[in-house]
Amino acid sequence: MEIGIVGLGRMGANMARRLARGGVQVVAFDVSPVARASVESEKGVDAVANLEAVASALRAPRVVWLMLPAGEVTQSTLAELLPLLQPGDVVVDGANAYYKDSMRRATQLAAHGLHFADAGVSGGIWGLQNGYAIMLGGNAQAAERVIPFVKILAPGSDQGWIHCGPAGSGHFVKMVHNGIEYGMMQAFAEGLSLMHAKTEFNLDLAAITETWRHGSVVRSWLLDLTAEFLSKDSALAHVAPVVADSGEGRWTALEAVELGIPAPVMSLALMMRFASQGQHDYAGKLLAMMRNSFGGHAIKGEP
């Protein structure tokens, strides 16, 4: 088997490595020479200098898997790739794209005789070692071509992956998955913060999270990771309290509004990320001034 991987960020590079170690011949490309160099020593991975080289190195019908930032980068790469492909080829978008974009792209590619699959990929930096959970969308023909590669990328050939349904469904399920992730992270953060604030008990958060890992109903990989970093540094004094949001949480909250389905936990977790980014600062200043105006309450100046 052979496949093209376009986009060699940390996850894309590790996916290329996992596929190669599973016996797949991988033709890999990234616009960054440094990224290409990161996989050149991997047996079974051929790092090439442009998209034309990817297309020419693969035998038709091809499978080209994109691991690119959602939005304009993915769209422009597809536009450049399209004339290099032939009817029957399959393009997989494995990044966190908006599912409606994936539905539109499937229709656009179908007009050229090409198949499209959307693959929601979870596993982060540990996927090379542990395998990736993959949520696949696409028609039957696309899925049939892509599933052999998915089985290698997944934790096992019969676990950790699912063909969710038609084009767009894979990215939709991954979007909801990430919304749930936001909520779980926020719940752990709030609970541990409460215990951290109860100074009279002098609670050992590292020991508590380690205890929860065994037998507790909240045990999870997320808890495992939390227990691990707390065991090394429970104060987290060097960590700035700023949490990025990469898009999926926003899409999940918007989808809940569109469907009229209440999703308060995921939506509020997203709002807390906005607050951590300073988006609540002006509102806080307004609140302070309101209290000062009606009650003469003191205002703290900027540090």
Side-chain angles (χ1 to χ4, degrees):
M1 295 193 299
E2 58 183 23
I3 190 171
I5 300 289
V6 177
L8 298 172
R10 193 166 185 179
M11 184 175 284
N14 279 344
M15 289 174 65
R17 294 184 182 100
R18 188 171 176 90
L19 286 165
R21 295 173 192 181
V24 177
Q25 182 63 41
V26 179
V27 180
F29 167 68
D30 193 284
V31 294
S32 166
V34 175
R36 295 197 299 269
S38 72
V39 298
E40 284 179 342
S41 62
E42 185 73 34
K43 183 180 179 181
V45 178
D46 181 18
V48 297
N50 50 53
L51 287 175
E52 291 85 349
V54 174
S56 63
L58 297 172
R59 293 167 295 180
R62 307 169 182 86
V63 175
V64 180
W65 190 305
L66 309 183
M67 289 299 294
L68 299 167
E72 178 56 33
V73 174
T74 294
Q75 190 61 41
S76 61
T77 302
L78 277 172
E80 185 179 350
L81 185 62
L82 187 61
L84 304 175
L85 300 179
Q86 299 174 1
D89 290 348
V90 180
V91 176
V92 185
D93 185 356
N96 285 320
Y98 186 38
Y99 80 95
K100 291 183 179 179
D101 288 340
S102 297
M103 295 172 69
R104 173 176 53 80
R105 287 167 181 153
T107 300
Q108 291 175 339
L109 267 63
H112 296 272
L114 302 170
H115 299 294
F116 179 86
D118 50 294
V121 182
S122 182
I125 62 175
W126 299 93
L128 177 60
Q129 176 182 341
N130 300 332
Y132 299 90
I134 298 181
M135 295 139 269
L136 185 67
N139 62 29
Q141 296 96 320
E144 182 181 3
R145 295 279 308 287
V146 176
I147 284 174
F149 303 104
V150 168
K151 288 182 175 181
I152 296 171
L153 290 168
S157 62
D158 59 351
Q159 63 181 15
W161 67 272
I162 183 172
H163 179 208
C164 300
S169 64
H171 280 156
F172 180 83
V173 172
K174 178 57 163 52
M175 177 188 76
V176 176
H177 164 283
N178 282 26
I180 293 170
E181 177 184 295
Y182 276 41
M184 291 176 65
M185 292 173 67
Q186 186 65 32
F188 275 125
E190 290 178 10
L192 292 168
S193 181
L194 280 171
M195 289 188 288
H196 182 264
K198 195 67 172 175
T199 55
E200 64 199 81
F201 287 162
N202 193 29
L203 298 172
D204 186 339
L205 299 189
I208 290 168
T209 50
E210 178 60 30
T211 298
W212 287 355
R213 292 182 59 233
H214 308 282
S216 166
V217 295
V218 299
R219 63 187 182 275
S220 63
W221 185 45
L222 186 58
L223 179 62
D224 294 342
L225 296 172
T226 304
E228 181 180 0
F229 69 68
L230 286 176
S231 70
K232 299 173 182 176
D233 175 19
S234 62
L236 305 180
H238 67 291
V239 180
V242 179
V243 187
D245 69 290
S246 54
E248 299 87 349
R250 299 187 188 207
W251 297 334
T252 306
L254 291 171
E255 191 68 26
V257 173
E258 286 191 12
L259 294 176
I261 298 297
V265 172
M266 292 187 289
S267 298
L268 286 173
L270 173 65
M271 297 301 126
M272 288 301 297
R273 294 200 179 194
F274 293 162
S276 80
Q277 298 163 23
Q279 301 303 319
H280 188 64
D281 290 358
Y282 188 68
K285 292 180 180 182
L286 288 169
L287 289 169
M289 285 302 298
M290 289 178 200
R291 290 185 76 243
N292 174 262
S293 297
F294 69 70
H297 301 287
I299 297 173
K300 291 185 177 181
E302 293 283 2

